[in-house]
Amino acid sequence: MKQEKVAPAEGKLGIMVVGCGAVSTTFMTGVLMTRKGLAKPIGSMTQYDKIRVGRGSEKKYLHYKDIVPLANLNDIVFGTWDVYPQNAYQAAVYAEVLKAKDIEPVRDELEAIKPLKAAFDKNYAKRIDGDNVKDCKTRWDMVVELKKDIQDFKKANKCDRVVVIWAASTEIYVPYDEQVHKTLSQLENAMKADDREHIAPSMCYAYAALTESCPFIMGAPNTTVDIPAMWELAEKTKMPISGKDFKTGQTLVKSGFAPIIKTRSLGLSGWFSTNILGNRDGLVLDEPANFHTKEVSKLSTLETICKAEDQPDLYGNIYHKVRINYYPPRNDDKEGWDNIDIFGWMGYPMQIKINFLCRDSILAAPLLLDLTLLSDLAARAGRYGIQRFLSFFLKSPMHDFTKGEEAVNNLFQQYTMLKNAIREMGGYEADEEID
Amino acid sequence: MKQEKVAPAEGKLGIMVVGCGAVSTTFMTGVLMTRKGLAKPIGSMTQYDKIRVGRGSEKKYLHYKDIVPLANLNDIVFGTWDVYPQNAYQAAVYAEVLKAKDIEPVRDELEAIKPLKAAFDKNYAKRIDGDNVKDCKTRWDMVVELKKDIQDFKKANKCDRVVVIWAASTEIYVPYDEQVHKTLSQLENAMKADDREHIAPSMCYAYAALTESCPFIMGAPNTTVDIPAMWELAEKTKMPISGKDFKTGQTLVKSGFAPIIKTRSLGLSGWFSTNILGNRDGLVLDEPANFHTKEVSKLSTLETICKAEDQPDLYGNIYHKVRINYYPPRNDDKEGWDNIDIFGWMGYPMQIKINFLCRDSILAAPLLLDLTLLSDLAARAGRYGIQRFLSFFLKSPMHDFTKGEEAVNNLFQQYTMLKNAIREMGGYEADEEID
Amino acid sequence: MKQEKVAPAEGKLGIMVVGCGAVSTTFMTGVLMTRKGLAKPIGSMTQYDKIRVGRGSEKKYLHYKDIVPLANLNDIVFGTWDVYPQNAYQAAVYAEVLKAKDIEPVRDELEAIKPLKAAFDKNYAKRIDGDNVKDCKTRWDMVVELKKDIQDFKKANKCDRVVVIWAASTEIYVPYDEQVHKTLSQLENAMKADDREHIAPSMCYAYAALTESCPFIMGAPNTTVDIPAMWELAEKTKMPISGKDFKTGQTLVKSGFAPIIKTRSLGLSGWFSTNILGNRDGLVLDEPANFHTKEVSKLSTLETICKAEDQPDLYGNIYHKVRINYYPPRNDDKEGWDNIDIFGWMGYPMQIKINFLCRDSILAAPLLLDLTLLSDLAARAGRYGIQRFLSFFLKSPMHDFTKGEEAVNNLFQQYTMLKNAIREMGGYEADEEID
Amino acid sequence: MKQEKVAPAEGKLGIMVVGCGAVSTTFMTGVLMTRKGLAKPIGSMTQYDKIRVGRGSEKKYLHYKDIVPLANLNDIVFGTWDVYPQNAYQAAVYAEVLKAKDIEPVRDELEAIKPLKAAFDKNYAKRIDGDNVKDCKTRWDMVVELKKDIQDFKKANKCDRVVVIWAASTEIYVPYDEQVHKTLSQLENAMKADDREHIAPSMCYAYAALTESCPFIMGAPNTTVDIPAMWELAEKTKMPISGKDFKTGQTLVKSGFAPIIKTRSLGLSGWFSTNILGNRDGLVLDEPANFHTKEVSKLSTLETICKAEDQPDLYGNIYHKVRINYYPPRNDDKEGWDNIDIFGWMGYPMQIKINFLCRDSILAAPLLLDLTLLSDLAARAGRYGIQRFLSFFLKSPMHDFTKGEEAVNNLFQQYTMLKNAIREMGGYEADEEID
């Protein structure tokens, strides 16, 4: 066991959020309110979780910040890009996620957070219709302007470090293309050639962030950093990347519930998941091309937990279906309904139904806090490239599929990976194995 | 790491089940059908689960039987006691759990399993009304007769080893009494003095089993072996004991779902669990004195997973309520409905509802198989007294509360304990820590 | 068809509400806000429903107020009694049913509504603990003081008419006693003799109201006016009475859903209803003696809709169970879960589950408005005694059981009765039959 | 009130069912078993329901058969067409709806029911793949052969009367075309011209039936008889027609539950209905073109019950969405999940969720019995054309939209229409109005 050398978390940490909608403003408001002692950052691992370090008689349970040097909430500065020009206060009020009493005390600070013009292409999100948009001729122009945004923000706010996190809409599905997405030079060429079919705007954000020495996190199901070209860039810039898709409602439950079935050697014949949601996320997903991106992201969860090849009697014939439905009456109050068909002793069938009345932004907000703080930590620890230990927070965790790596979707295995990384960065021994 | 010496599983293993009702006959029928290749013992860890042994490049995934010497299904012989005289075939048909096509192929074998007269006291289960009952003057007489039953059964069936497992009804609640339950001699004196208030019939079964060198397992929520006097007896006889209450439907889900909430640092304000069930178990629990035993057993699960003292912001104020309702239209098809009130970022509330349409006997049957095989294994490994590694299978796991031990109720921690015990008995290194 | 003579609704209508809690203040606030055009009285039949009058080519659909003379919302004056001294504004804020924005605009008017001292006996509601209580030696003293309250209120507020409605807690169950509750003189004697076992405080309110020429409505499941002595009093005073128990959440659904099953000739084998609620109503019902009153009220619904004697194949063997659970995390947000076991063609079973996330006070408030306005109407129409046409609004509708009358619980038959009464009072022909 | 003249139900009644799948065989088996006294035809109005006839002191409650002359179950003879050649016994076993014990006693009779070759066009049901198919050059050839089938069946079975009912799959959506579907001569010309785009095979069945003096019933959502050309034919042949889509699971509940909301003047902001089903019906509906037919049929239910124009405050903004999902693990055990967003007093929102675990064929079978018996009755009563009184049994009831007629979807209004028709045909006075 070697002690990792982690640079201290000194100075200001800029968090630049792509998208200034319900999720982003709930995140920002909560951090600002917490700083004033007016709210509690429930759901945040970096603020609440305690993990065991040491073994046997040496063991103790510590908060993350007592194991590794984490940025303090007081050192955070927020920036954002959005296609709508409303400031974070206006956006928070519009989102109708938080009550007035939970926003008003930090109104001034929120009003000061004004969205930079977004790098946007309407073909990637047809239902979105804002005009606070950069006027760029090519994808490469987008990159150039975004890099300048980051530099300006950093300077203006005297930030020592910046993290960029995507909390904007789901783009249409961009399948992996070996001619464009494999190497960094291919990617750069395509950007310069303005290949709009293969280069999503989100890729320009990621490229700009990494080349400006900012960790990048993909919170939507976009495949932005799920390509070898980006991994190459992360290696080159020595920056951490992670994604994709914040693990909130239904998939969170699925990644925790499937292990219950698996752990008891019960059989599984079907899992039907349906979802109703009414916020802008739902509106975008109502467009089939955007839904497809989401569906690909959500479907993988189950099969990697209950594996047919390991237990053919139990998991050899699972019918898994995921439906997402735009349903405006609910706004941000997402609701999932799962029907799970299991079977037990002698093959007798049983059913489980889970109805989750959740709130999208309330579940997502602490993930933004944890992902940015831990990405910043990883950067300071010299850990770059794909951050598998952040799988815990993500619906469809990154993994190097070119090397045959598999995603880890089991919530409890992901938690072990998270704990092990914290332990190691803190100079403690990890539990090497996750099962 | 020291290699434990485990005696091989040679010869016949007698499994004597107290109670020949729905659970017992489903268990027996399934084992017999599996032996003939006509059914699959889904849900049984000893028959399906594979666990990692070794680490790093040495690691491999093995079935339990390939790590430790387990009794083979073909070597099992069944015996039973019941207040009703019907043989196992008749009882299986009456129970209406299994379809005819899943019973008929082993009809002959089931018919040969005829209940011995039960040691019974109607005060402990008012709703039960059978007459296949021993005529005993005192509790001590019960012990004497039960010991003879075991000896006779062992001889008649040429068994090398016998395990006794309670799969009969819930008795009325017997609180721990320091004057009767603390030491073995107290207990024996009370049996001889026929102290019917403090000595439940189930205690006579446990006493008889242990003194006949049979491991004893308590599958109902009875406190039978949850007393220091029994632990002393287990030490003295060098026999394993375990209990209590088979972890089937709702508590199984709770012990797996609460960890999801805990793992994500989400808050919990309330958990309401209600249950409808219509079999004999439900009928017995419709009597308040018997329900009380069950309630005490079910309530502990949550509080040991989401601990107020560790996370007062999150778990400092949980309202937990469990209701069980006798509802005849369902017979053995138990149904649970849970409402879980959680809260996230800035304290905003969300709700989860879980509706489990399960089958009591189908979920319980594999537990009987695993608990008996693993208790037999433990005995051969020289592990005696409370078997904490069997907590995985039990709703209210035994622990030595006189030493301040706490029950482990988290399903995934229980699973780690189970795997570690198998690893150790197999000569592999355990992961020492469970979190 | 004869035209009924209905006196016009001139002058002020006093509505005196017993209890100034969540239900009462939601009712009052809503009426005051509606008067200012700031809210809509959704759920109120008198404000929204339109019914057909006339037949064939003559038929038209009219609001109630266009058929019969109803009191105008602007003419209402509120009074109240409560064991807590807080005014209606304070009580509305405490109840946490309505948002600030829905209360503040009428704050002044609410603050002016100050509870009179209650006629209270702690033995009838152990969990209630207020001290704004009249100091009465006997039940008869209660009557005398309550009568004076009504007279004073009427005078002070220049009311032409007053209606008294009970919206306070459930009292403990008072079974019908032939020696006390049969005749008016028995009742009066018992009040004077201070027979506290048989005379609930609510009976004093009813007696005072009727003798002051005020219609009386029982909104809790108390048997207050479900006794021949009170019917005699209503006859004598020519006043309308109605009750009991506002039909809100679960029973509302049951009284509408059971007719679906019945109408399609489907079979019913079981109906399990459970409820969680956290407001003061729930707290009171957590006391077994008070729950019993509620249970008796709720159980009758089903059996009078799906009658065993009419359809023994379909309804000959129904298992009906109702559970109510105090569950503080929800406050006023009551939740019901129903499981319904039905069977169809050749007896094959099916299941329906209904989960109702409702709000007690939101569902109850319009009932208070309708019941008071329609009771006032009935009084002006010279209709006195039991008002069966108000069954629509009540969980356990009054009926003269001494004459073998049966309660009508089918929501749609109740609706027909309601419409017929309005038609008749408006001089239109009723549809005589309700099925 | 005039007495209708209804011909007696003498002789054999042939019931020719299009499709010999789960629904049809469950229907046939149930009738045959009922005839032997071995099953009960639960859910059948003609066999169970009793309705009031007469008024006031004259009123009595009678079974339909005691009011009007209905065909006796013993006089029924079954025929069928199907693309699969399996006889009704084989098809019933394959369907896995009924247990062996409920089929075997009538095995011989079922085996004798052998499907005639179907008039089939794969373009109308891509997922269906049978070869027991007529070899027809044109749609007109189909008509000619089907007419011959009916004549042969009638003769061979000595039937006095025949009714034809469609219980086969949903065809792809055929929108109303003014050039083809408006007049009978257009329709006949299109059949002769073999216009396969506008003439669904089901139209050939309907045409053949009506011209052979057989009432025709459309049990799927096909628009077959929802066109003026067919109404003209029904007038000309003086035959009753009815449709469309058997009202089973989710829509049955919706047509009964929406009236609960409406009756209480509660508001409705959204209704989300999702469905999982795994039988052949589900497989066919998994094809978008076929689903569209179903969706159009299911969406109309709500809007005609909760009308925006009547109550804009309550129903002015309803979001209604229906999803159907093919989900093989369930086979015939269809399951619906409805989420209903309502609002009450002052606009406060509440939610209702309904989970219906139903059985498609069990719910449909009694509808086939009632629809055929009542269509036969209507024919004998000289009632021809669209039979609105059968709306009760149908998801999307027929109505003459060219005259501005509206469908009646409210279950209880439909029931009143049904009762009124029976009363009138029985010579009793109807309650003219349905609300």
Side-chain angles (χ1 to χ4, degrees), chain A residues 333 359, chain B residues 351, chain C residues 22-23 26 96-99 247-250 252 276-277 279 330-336 356-366, chain D residues 266 342-345 347-351:
Chain A
D333 291 352
R359 297 170 191 259
Chain B
Q351 300 176 21
Chain C
V23 166
T26 302
E96 288 187 357
V97 173
L98 301 174
K99 293 179 200 159
K247 179 144 78 178
T248 52
Q250 197 165 40
L252 165 58
I276 50 180
L277 75 171
N279 58 12
R330 286 300 173 76
N331 194 7
D332 195 64
D333 290 352
K334 209 161 62 165
E335 178 168 347
F356 191 0
L357 287 87
C358 59
R359 296 170 191 259
D360 197 33
S361 303
I362 294 297
L363 286 171
Chain D
L266 291 165
I342 64 172
F343 56 95
W345 190 246
Y348 279 69
M350 296 171 282
Q351 300 176 22

Side-chain angles (χ1 to χ4, degrees), chain A residues 71-241:
Chain A
N72 189 293
L73 297 196
N74 292 316
D75 292 330
I76 291 175
V77 186
F78 293 110
T80 188
W81 291 272
D82 203 284
V83 298
Y84 300 101
Q86 282 73 30
N87 64 45
Y89 172 75
Q90 293 167 316
V93 169
Y94 176 83
E96 289 189 356
V97 173
L98 302 175
K99 293 178 200 161
K101 73 174 181 61
D102 292 322
I103 302 176
E104 291 303 324
V106 292
R107 176 175 181 157
D108 291 352
E109 292 172 81
L110 287 169
E111 282 178 341
I113 303 170
K114 293 181 181 116
L116 300 165
K117 286 189 176 177
F120 183 67
D121 177 346
K122 201 171 158 58
N123 289 324
Y124 277 77
K126 282 198 186 119
R127 305 280 179 108
I128 295 292
D129 214 13
D131 55 5
N132 190 45
V133 169
K134 289 182 197 308
D135 184 19
C136 295
K137 288 222 174 59
T138 67
R139 290 294 195 251
W140 188 253
D141 285 354
M142 283 185 178
V143 166
V144 171
E145 295 210 21
L146 290 167
K147 284 171 71 77
K148 187 159 182 308
D149 285 347
I150 297 171
Q151 291 158 11
D152 293 348
F153 175 83
K154 201 166 174 179
K155 199 165 169 189
N157 293 286
K158 302 193 176 66
C159 292
D160 287 74
R161 305 172 320 281
V162 168
V163 177
V164 177
I165 185 164
W166 179 281
S169 296
T170 301
E171 299 174 318
I172 58 171
Y173 190 58
V174 180
Y176 174 55
D177 185 314
E178 286 232 333
Q179 307 305 315
V180 185
H181 301 132
K182 194 165 187 182
T183 69
L184 180 54
S185 66
Q186 281 174 357
L187 188 77
E188 289 170 342
N189 289 337
M191 284 173 164
K192 287 169 186 165
D194 198 34
D195 177 350
R196 300 190 179 193
E197 186 190 341
H198 297 100
I199 306 294
S202 61
M203 291 175 182
C204 301
Y205 283 93
Y207 187 96
L210 294 172
T211 53
E212 289 299 321
S213 295
C214 308
F216 182 84
I217 301 146
M218 174 41 68
N222 306 328
T223 51
T224 315
V225 289
D226 257 1
I227 53 176
M230 285 290 180
W231 308 343
E232 189 183 334
L233 180 59
E235 294 283 324
K236 185 177 155 192
T237 58
K238 302 225 179 302
M239 277 296 122
I241 50 175

Side-chain angles (χ1 to χ4, degrees), chain B residues 269-272 274-276 286 319-321 323-330 335-337 339-341 351 353 355 357, chain C residues 269-272 274-276 286 319-321 323-330 335-337 339-341 351 353 355 357:
Chain B
S269 60
W271 193 309
F272 173 75
T274 196
N275 230 289
I276 49 180
D286 207 31
Y319 194 91
H320 185 198
K321 195 157 194 168
R323 302 296 293 261
I324 298 177
N325 304 282
Y326 180 52
Y327 181 74
R330 286 299 173 76
E335 178 168 347
W337 186 74
N339 171 71
I340 311 169
D341 282 280
Q351 300 176 21
K353 288 128 204 330
N355 184 207
L357 286 87
Chain C
S269 59
W271 194 310
F272 173 75
T274 196
N275 230 290
I276 50 180
D286 207 30
Y319 194 91
H320 185 198
K321 196 158 194 168
R323 302 297 292 259
I324 297 178
N325 304 282
Y326 179 52
Y327 181 73
R330 286 300 173 76
E335 178 168 347
W337 186 73
N339 170 73
I340 312 169
D341 282 278
Q351 300 176 21
K353 287 127 202 335
N355 184 206
L357 287 87

Side-chain angles (χ1 to χ4, degrees), chain C residues 222-406:
Chain C
N222 307 328
T223 51
T224 314
V225 288
D226 257 1
I227 53 177
M230 285 291 179
W231 309 342
E232 189 182 336
L233 180 57
E235 294 282 324
K236 185 178 156 192
T237 59
K238 303 222 177 305
M239 277 296 122
I241 50 175
S242 61
K244 60 187 189 292
D245 214 358
F246 299 132
K247 179 144 78 178
T248 52
Q250 197 165 40
T251 307
L252 165 58
V253 165
K254 191 176 287 178
S255 74
F257 205 92
I260 300 176
I261 297 165
K262 163 75 166 61
T263 295
R264 278 284 283 253
S265 295
L266 291 165
L268 180 64
S269 59
W271 194 310
F272 173 75
S273 298
T274 196
N275 230 290
I276 50 180
L277 75 171
N279 58 12
R280 208 176 282 159
D281 190 25
L283 179 66
V284 169
L285 291 173
D286 207 30
E287 188 70 32
N290 299 68
F291 171 65
H292 186 55
T293 307
K294 189 81 176 184
E295 196 182 29
V296 169
S297 160
K298 292 190 83 164
L299 273 174
S300 58
T301 307
L302 196 54
E303 287 69 12
T304 55
I305 298 173
C306 295
K307 296 184 191 174
E309 62 273 25
D310 285 358
Q311 294 283 13
D313 276 7
L314 308 178
Y315 311 119
N317 189 21
I318 300 174
Y319 194 91
H320 185 198
K321 196 158 194 168
V322 176
R323 302 297 292 259
I324 297 178
N325 304 282
Y326 179 52
Y327 181 73
R330 286 300 173 76
N331 194 7
D332 195 64
D333 290 352
K334 209 161 62 165
E335 178 168 347
W337 186 73
D338 284 89
N339 170 73
I340 312 169
D341 282 278
I342 63 172
F343 56 95
W345 191 246
M346 304 178 79
Y348 279 70
M350 294 170 284
Q351 300 176 21
I352 300 165
K353 287 127 202 335
I354 302 178
N355 184 206
F356 191 0
L357 287 87
C358 59
R359 296 170 191 259
D360 197 33
S361 303
I362 294 297
L363 286 171
L367 304 183
L368 275 78
L369 180 58
D370 291 339
L371 283 164
T372 49
L373 293 193
L374 295 174
S375 291
D376 171 51
L377 168 68
R380 283 183 284 108
R383 292 183 163 217
Y384 50 84
I386 299 174
Q387 299 299 310
R388 297 198 78 191
F389 84 105
L390 299 178
S391 298
F392 181 75
F393 304 101
L394 298 157
K395 229 171 241 155
S396 179
M398 289 180 68
H399 53 283
D400 187 343
F401 54 81
T402 63
K403 294 181 192 150
E405 271 184 17
E406 266 200 352

Side-chain angles (χ1 to χ4, degrees), chain D residues 6-12 69-72 75 161 376 380:
Chain D
V6 184
E10 281 164 3
K12 292 285 174 198
L70 279 184
N72 190 293
D75 291 331
R161 305 171 317 281
D376 171 51
R380 283 182 283 107

Side-chain angles (χ1 to χ4, degrees), chain A residues 327 329, chain D residues 267-272 302 317-321 339-343:
Chain A
Y327 182 73
Chain D
L268 180 64
S269 60
W271 193 310
F272 173 75
L302 196 53
N317 189 21
I318 300 174
Y319 193 91
H320 185 199
K321 197 159 195 167
N339 171 74
I340 311 168
D341 282 279
I342 64 172
F343 56 95

